[in-house]
Amino acid sequence: MVTITYDGTFEGWLTVVFEVYEYKFADVEICKKELFQPNVFNKHRESQFDQQKFTRVWKGLAAKLSTSALSALYKTFLSEEKGIENVLLSYVQYTLNSKQSIERDYSNATVLKVAQTAKRVYRESHRMEAFVRFQLTADNLYYAICQPDFNVLPLIQKHFKERYADQRWLIYDSSRNYGIYYNLSVVENVVMSFDEQTNKGKNIEIITDEKEELYQRLWQQYFASVNIAARKNMKLHIQHMPKRYWKFLPEKHAF
Amino acid sequence: MSERLTEKLSILADAAKYDVSCSSSGSSRKNENKGLGNSKGVGICHAYTEDGRCVSLLKILLTNHCIFDCAYCVSRKSNDIKRAAFTVQEVVDLTINFYRRNYIEGLFLSSGIFKNADYTMERLVRIAKKLRHEHNFNGYIHLKAIPGASDELLKEAGLYADRLSVNVEMPTEQSLKLLAPDKNRKDMIAPMKYLKGAIEENREEKRLFKKAPLFAPAGQSTQMVIGATPENDMQILWMANQFYEKMKLKRVYYSGYVPISNDNRLPAIGTPVPMIRENRLYQADWLLRFYGFKVEEIVNYDNPLLDTDIDPKLSWALRNLHLFPLDINKADLSMIMRIPGIGVSSANKIVAARKFNKLSWDNLKKFGIAVNRARNFVTCQSDHFSFKDWMPQQIKERILQSGTSKYTPNFSPQLKLF
């Protein structure tokens, strides 16, 4: 058994896939560099990202899979689930071994697993599109902090860029410690030093705009007023809005 | 100043909440020229209230002053409540500021009728126009078409709104006459007909000229109050079906009546909201729109009421046992969708996957279908759960016993003490 470590990026993982074919490894385990624990029984190989290898695998896959299946692969990767790299490797092997596309062979455990994981990641990205709440700072930046279950910021940046094309915004994933920032022309990744306790960045201006509190209060009022007490159904409420998201939702903080 | 605004918002949101539509999907308004907002077809529910309903739009009345006296409505003339009205600027500011903070997908604006229909409609249109033109706003706008408003105003409304809706309120004309003596059904049907024509015309135009302006890209919808009047499910669903077929509506909403009045024409205050019935109606509605069912298969003269203890697809299957069992590895997609416990996406999965392998119960379970219901109607590559010739009543008992419905307490004749 060979353990291959890589840099943790999607491109890095595709490089590993190339090397599995290149060196004809039969029995491999892929693992992120920072999670690697040496094991006396396994050989270890460290893989370096290689643009050419990455492109060749990606093109090979694109020839056999539809765009939606390719995007499902990427989403599944973003789930960061333990061992998901190995599931994805066997998906790739199954794809390259078959003449026709296998993306809809749901009776195959690997294909079903990828379809279902991609669905869960999609759902989380859709939730983030819904539950991100911006606050306006005094220097006209709309900023939001979130802690999504999966690494979904790469999936939602297009949505926010198209929607808020005329405002500067920052969405920060405080559990993965990076954010996406839109400066009115492009979206870029940013890293800030971050205070876990207060959930506020040390180097962002946290002086909020004077109107910010008013609009949060109005939103809380609105949220309370549209509720129909005679139809109370907390189970459904929590099912749709799980408690782990409440921390960042102003409407769930009584005024 | 801000306190007055908060109070207004609480009054006018409270009065608007009985309008159940909150959909923000199906539009196609792109953000061009770096404006604000983008409506790309997929709706987003930004929050859910404690009653479990979604909050997608800022749903408010422009005012709750009303010249009408409809018995089922909180804003009726004779009701002694606080009245308020927003200014145009206030609605615009609220919408823009909520939208920028990602609280909402857009605005759902309705209003009590003040002075007359046209006067009210004109105010609504003015707000939508201001949002679109002065603020370059591409979020979702749902406007209420006020019954009796002129065609010119409706046309203008369609140019700014993504969706328009006229509520028929009551499933039949008699009920409307009884509870809303100031309204008449003709005034409601007329704008619907006009919008249907205008929407179809615009789609045709769009097909020929890509640059033609959008006209209500998310179509029109309506709402009926359920349980305030004696109509049965058959009348309600047949009416809904008419709206889908004849008026090409995108949605018909069913709103279980929430008792708000001591009027003796209506259920008394404290009567429970008919939530199960409402739920079953929505399930039936889905069968009509996505599962290829005909309305008379779901409710007809022999079965005018939907069962409350089982879902409408299961009741249909129990009445049509001669069509089952189906072989999951051979049956048509349209029939697989009719199997209780299998939804549209599982059905598609089944049809795609069986090209590779014969499917077994194990596969079906992993796809996430409701096996306890489906196993009574299906055969597949396996000898487990072999199909037996049960009577419909036996199947129903088996299913009810194998799971617990969230509505179970409602079916028990026993009084609950604690």
Side-chain angles (χ1 to χ4, degrees), chain B residues 150-162:
Chain B
S150 68
D151 289 356
E152 291 73 47
L153 278 170
L154 290 176
K155 180 157 194 202
E156 214 187 337
L159 292 176
Y160 307 124
D162 293 283

Side-chain angles (χ1 to χ4, degrees), chain A residues 94 100-109 112 115-116 119 122 126 128-136 142 158-167 182 184-186 209 211-212 214-237 240-241 249-252 255, chain B residues 2-3 5-7 9-11 13-14 17-18 20 31 34-40 42-53 55 57-60 93-94 97-105 135 255-256 258-259 273 275 278 345 348-359 363 366-368 406:
Chain A
Y94 186 26
Q100 90 258 50
S101 165
I102 48 85
E103 61 193 75
R104 285 161 71 76
D105 181 7
Y106 301 111
S107 59
N108 178 293
L112 188 65
Q116 287 173 339
K119 181 87 190 225
Y122 166 75
H126 190 67
M128 282 303 121
E129 287 171 3
F131 295 156
V132 155
R133 297 279 183 268
F134 288 117
Q135 300 190 33
L136 181 58
Y142 285 84
K158 181 165 175 279
H159 168 84
F160 283 100
K161 186 183 172 206
E162 282 170 359
R163 168 161 301 207
Y164 300 112
D166 69 341
Q167 69 190 41
Y182 172 70
L184 296 179
S185 61
V186 289
D209 184 76
K211 287 271 181 67
E212 179 55 35
L214 168 67
Y215 282 108
Q216 284 195 24
R217 229 168 350 97
L218 286 168
W219 173 241
Q220 288 162 340
Q221 179 62 56
Y222 175 70
F223 184 73
S225 302
V226 284
N227 180 42
I228 298 179
R231 302 180 57 116
K232 186 167 172 158
N233 187 346
M234 284 307 275
K235 198 179 153 202
L236 190 59
H237 170 62
H240 284 311
M241 241 164 58
L249 298 173
E251 63 270 29
K252 291 306 295 176
F255 49 97
Chain B
S2 80
E3 265 152 47
L5 186 59
T6 313
E7 190 190 8
L9 182 61
S10 74
I11 295 171
D14 185 87
K17 72 187 174 192
Y18 299 100
V20 287
N31 188 349
K34 291 220 158 192
L36 172 64
N38 196 25
S39 309
K40 55 170 185 186
V42 185
I44 299 180
C45 302
H46 283 275
Y48 292 85
T49 46
E50 291 191 350
D51 50 25
R53 300 187 313 152
V55 180
L57 304 172
L58 171 62
K59 195 190 298 181
I60 46 175
D93 284 346
L94 274 174
N97 278 290
F98 278 11
Y99 194 86
R100 284 196 183 282
R101 286 169 175 76
N102 205 33
Y103 296 166
I104 53 169
E105 283 298 284
H135 294 267
S255 166
V258 181
V273 184
M275 302 225 297
E278 187 189 284
S345 64
N348 283 319
K349 255 195 191 134
I350 289 168
V351 173
R354 69 184 183 189
K355 288 187 188 141
F356 295 86
N357 271 315
K358 283 233 150 82
L359 302 179
N363 294 132
K366 284 190 183 136
F367 291 178
K406 56 187 177 253

Side-chain angles (χ1 to χ4, degrees), chain B residues 374-395:
Chain B
R375 66 174 173 180
N376 299 293
F377 304 94
V378 158
T379 57
C380 63
Q381 185 81 338
S382 162
D383 19 62
H384 288 314
F385 307 115
S386 61
F387 193 84
K388 291 206 181 97
D389 264 334
W390 302 92
M391 300 291 286
Q393 191 57 33
Q394 285 174 303
I395 296 179

Side-chain angles (χ1 to χ4, degrees), chain B residues 119-238:
Chain B
Y119 190 86
T120 313
M121 192 69 212
E122 202 250 312
R123 293 296 177 291
L124 301 186
V125 171
R126 197 189 290 173
I127 290 175
K129 185 176 179 180
K130 195 163 177 166
L131 280 167
R132 294 283 189 231
H133 285 179
E134 288 176 31
H135 294 267
N136 202 355
F137 178 71
N138 301 299
Y140 194 93
I141 299 181
H142 179 160
L143 287 186
K144 200 101 267 191
I146 305 293
S150 68
D151 289 356
E152 291 73 47
L153 278 170
L154 290 176
K155 180 157 194 202
E156 214 187 337
L159 292 176
Y160 307 124
D162 293 283
R163 171 168 285 181
L164 291 161
S165 63
V166 190
N167 284 358
V168 288
E169 314 289 9
M170 293 295 146
T172 57
E173 197 162 0
Q174 298 90 295
S175 302
L176 188 71
K177 230 173 223 156
L178 175 73
L179 296 178
D182 310 313
K183 287 188 177 167
N184 78 62
R185 197 155 177 106
K186 262 193 219 124
D187 283 349
M188 296 170 172
I189 301 298
M192 242 186 224
K193 264 197 182 139
Y194 172 78
L195 289 174
K196 180 202 166 211
I199 290 170
E200 277 178 352
E201 204 176 293
N202 175 258
R203 299 293 180 272
E204 184 63 22
E205 207 180 331
K206 267 282 206 215
R207 223 167 41 84
L208 298 172
F209 313 102
K210 243 186 140 192
K211 286 267 162 71
L214 289 169
F215 186 91
Q220 58 167 334
S221 62
T222 192
Q223 166 175 323
M224 289 188 255
V225 178
I226 303 306
T229 46
E231 286 86 7
N232 63 25
D233 297 332
M234 182 178 76
Q235 283 170 296
I236 292 166
L237 284 170
W238 284 37

